[in-house]
Amino acid sequence: RHPHTNELFQWKQQDDAANNVATYPFENAEARFAVGTFQALQENRSEPLLGLWLNDVTAALHEARNTKAEIAEANKIDETSTDSVIVKAEKLTTKAERRLYLSSCWLETLYTAEARVLGWAYQELYGKPFSPTT
């Protein structure tokens, strides 16, 4: 429910629409997260399937986090600043780099939340904490 998260989500929805990427018109980031999480639980109804899904989520999270950090470092973006990532992205000089940075920020935010909730669900369902495989 953080305003910066929803601002980033709204940017992503608008960017996808502008680039002819099919999107579902979610009202806000929270709705997008909730639907995605429940779909993941619905479609991955066994311990092995949910474990594979969580591995994919954590791998995508890692990739998004690394991409974001590389762009931030190369462009001297202060990641500790309390500015929204939309404001931070203004420092980037190309549209492609701005899109990659902001998309990585969105994926990091989404997958962090999803990994936490699905990891909790995994533990509740299967009686043990999720442990990623390498």
Side-chain angles (χ1 to χ4, degrees), residues 46-123:
S46 69
E47 184 178 355
L49 287 175
L50 188 55
L52 288 171
W53 181 258
L54 274 163
N55 275 321
D56 289 347
V57 166
T58 55
L61 170 59
H62 180 72
E63 186 175 328
R65 191 172 283 159
N66 286 345
T67 300
K68 178 185 129 185
E70 287 171 9
I71 293 171
E73 184 179 330
N75 292 279
K76 297 178 178 38
I77 294 173
D78 180 6
E79 293 282 60
T80 63
S81 165
T82 58
D83 289 336
S84 76
V85 293
I86 303 294
V87 170
K88 292 176 186 180
E90 292 173 1
K91 194 170 192 175
L92 302 171
T93 57
T94 68
K95 182 179 178 180
E97 191 170 46
R98 207 169 14 262
R99 285 185 73 216
L100 180 59
Y101 176 75
L102 290 171
S103 293
S104 296
C105 290
W106 168 244
L107 292 174
E108 179 186 28
T109 300
L110 179 64
Y111 291 145
T112 296
E114 191 169 322
R116 287 177 178 167
V117 170
L118 291 176
W120 170 82
Y122 183 98
Q123 184 167 337

